[in-house]
């Protein structure tokens, strides 16, 4: 009596008879599991393993290449949503704008900071532990009732973010770009705290100035034609001077400096396995410097370490 021939089945679907092997692992696969290869077919697991082993394309600064500037879109949306929130509830501005040190009076009014404030007054701002203001203020803008600048504040900032943010994000990749934006915003707020702690400020300008610095550094690193870039930077610096009489030049300058530091680390990190580590390390070092600077200024204002 002849032995029955062995029936081969798909390793993923044991009930399905199969006669085709994966060319990589040689396991039997059914038609539902077959994936076209250059020669023959592969199973889904080998296809996934092969995809992981393929080196992902990177930008000149180590970021993943992306066609959609998703982070820029999200940042614009957050700024617009915050602005709508201001219109619905104006108290949001007083609660979350960047303020180093101020006083809230018993009548609910806001007053200039005094370390030894009178009875009935209480401190507010970063000096009172409201460190979140260092970032939340960068997502708020002047309300429409704030004179001629009013709504132009958010319009100008969002147009600038749209124009320059897409370029910078495409070059850096999403993660590096987001770190640059947030550190630039934080750098602007910290310089406001250090130089003008009693001045309330708000707006994304510090972060946008950081993106401007990144645009310049990246162009230099890539050997681009600098004529257009230099004109852009001249306009940015001119606005920095004009803003001395209109808005917070300290925030603009702080964002510009922080953005330059971060992008220099991105651009000149060694192009080997250490690049990501060096870039991340530079961001962490800058963050530590900003936190220590904040702590030192708060200690100076309050007299309490």
């Amino acid at each position: 009596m002849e032995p029955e021939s062995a029936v081969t089945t798909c390793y993923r679907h044991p009930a399905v008879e199969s006669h085709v092997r994966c060319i990589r692992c040689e396991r039997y696969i059914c038609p539902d599991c077959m994936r076209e290869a250059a020669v023959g077919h592969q199973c889904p697991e080998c296809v996934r393993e092969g995809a992981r082993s393929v080196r992902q394309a990177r930008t000149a600064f180590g970021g993943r290449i992306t066609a959609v500037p998703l982070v820029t879109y999200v940042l614009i949306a957050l700024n617009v949503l915050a602005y709508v929130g201001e219109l619905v509830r104006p108290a949001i501005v007083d609660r979350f704008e960047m303020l180093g040190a101020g006083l809230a009076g018993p009548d609910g009014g806001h007053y200039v900071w005094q370390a030894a404030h009178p009875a009935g007054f209480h401190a507010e701002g970063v000096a009172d532990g409201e460190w979140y203001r260092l970032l939340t203020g960068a997502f708020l803008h002047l309300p429409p009732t704030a004179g001629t600048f009013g709504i132009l504040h958010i319009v100008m900032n969002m147009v600038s973010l749209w124009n320059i943010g897409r370029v910078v994000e495409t070059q850096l990749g999403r993660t590096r770009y987001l770190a640059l934006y947030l550190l630039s915003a934080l750098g602007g707020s910290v310089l406001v705290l250090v130089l003008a702690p009693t001045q309330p400020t708000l707006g994304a300008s510090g972060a946008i100035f950081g993106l401007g610095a990144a645009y310049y550094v990246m162009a230099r690193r890539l050997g681009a034609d600098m004529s257009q870039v230099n004109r852009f930077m001249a306009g940015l610096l001119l606005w920095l001077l004009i803003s001395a009489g209109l808005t917070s030049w300290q925030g603009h300058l702080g964002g510009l400096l922080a953005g330059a530091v971060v992008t220099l680390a991105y651009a000149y990190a060694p192009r080997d396995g250490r690049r990501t580590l060096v870039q991340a390390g530079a961001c962490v070092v800058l963050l530590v410097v900003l936190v220590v600077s904040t702590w030192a200024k708060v200690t100076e204002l309050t007299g309490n370490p």
Side-chain angles (χ1 to χ4, degrees):
M1 181 176 181
E2 295 183 358
E4 296 183 1
S5 60
V7 177
T8 55
T9 60
C10 174
Y11 83 96
R12 298 178 77 235
H13 304 100
V16 179
E17 184 175 350
S18 305
H19 302 282
V20 176
R21 293 175 182 265
C22 169
I23 61 171
R24 293 188 66 181
C25 66
E26 296 189 346
R27 290 179 291 188
Y28 286 100
I29 48 179
C30 66
D32 288 340
C33 296
M34 292 178 187
R35 302 293 184 266
E36 290 285 347
V39 177
H41 297 84
Q42 295 184 18
C43 66
E45 290 183 11
C46 287
V47 170
R48 286 195 295 270
E49 182 65 29
R52 283 196 294 267
S53 65
V54 175
R55 185 175 180 179
Q56 297 293 324
R58 296 278 176 174
T59 69
F61 305 98
R64 289 187 177 181
I65 294 177
T66 56
V68 179
L70 178 63
V71 177
T72 297
Y73 295 156
V74 171
L75 290 172
I76 292 174
L78 289 175
N79 278 275
V80 172
L81 286 174
Y83 197 71
V84 172
E86 292 177 40
L87 299 179
V88 174
R89 192 177 181 85
I92 287 177
V93 174
D94 288 335
R95 187 69 181 84
F96 293 101
E97 68 183 349
M98 171 54 201
L99 176 64
L103 293 179
D107 57 355
H110 302 278
Y111 300 86
V112 177
W113 166 261
Q114 300 176 46
H117 41 271
F121 288 74
H122 67 271
E124 59 180 352
V126 179
D128 191 44
E130 298 171 346
W131 283 44
Y132 54 83
R133 290 178 180 260
L134 293 167
L135 276 181
T136 56
F139 290 90
L140 301 175
H141 289 82
L142 293 173
T145 55
T148 55
F149 203 40
I151 197 170
L152 285 177
H153 190 208
I154 187 170
V155 171
M156 292 173 61
N157 276 347
M158 293 305 99
V159 169
S160 299
L161 179 54
W162 168 259
N163 286 327
I164 193 171
R166 292 178 299 162
V167 176
V168 176
E169 182 177 353
T170 301
Q171 289 291 337
L172 294 182
R174 291 170 181 169
T175 302
R176 289 168 175 79
Y177 172 72
L178 181 60
L180 166 70
Y181 187 93
L182 295 178
L183 285 171
S184 297
L186 187 60
S189 295
V190 170
L191 197 61
V192 169
L193 172 67
V194 171
L195 299 181
T198 61
Q199 175 184 337
T201 62
L202 69 174
S205 302
I208 293 171
F209 267 73
L211 299 184
Y215 178 57
Y216 180 81
V217 172
M218 291 190 306
R220 289 294 300 266
R221 186 70 176 96
L222 294 173
D225 180 5
M226 296 301 294
S227 57
Q228 181 179 351
V229 178
N230 289 335
R231 285 194 297 271
F232 169 79
M233 289 304 296
L236 198 67
L237 295 175
L238 178 60
W239 174 238
L240 179 62
L241 295 176
I242 296 174
S243 66
L246 296 176
T247 57
S248 171
W249 65 267
Q250 297 93 342
H252 294 177
L253 180 60
L256 185 75
L257 295 175
V261 169
V262 171
T263 314
L264 283 169
Y266 287 168
Y268 293 95
R271 296 192 176 189
D272 54 26
R274 299 171 297 164
R275 176 160 64 178
T276 300
L277 182 61
V278 170
Q279 292 172 338
C283 291
V284 171
V285 169
L286 177 59
L287 178 61
V288 170
V289 170
L290 294 175
V291 170
V292 170
S293 299
T294 301
W295 175 83
K297 187 62 181 182
V298 168
T299 300
E300 176 190 328
L301 290 170
T302 62
N304 296 316

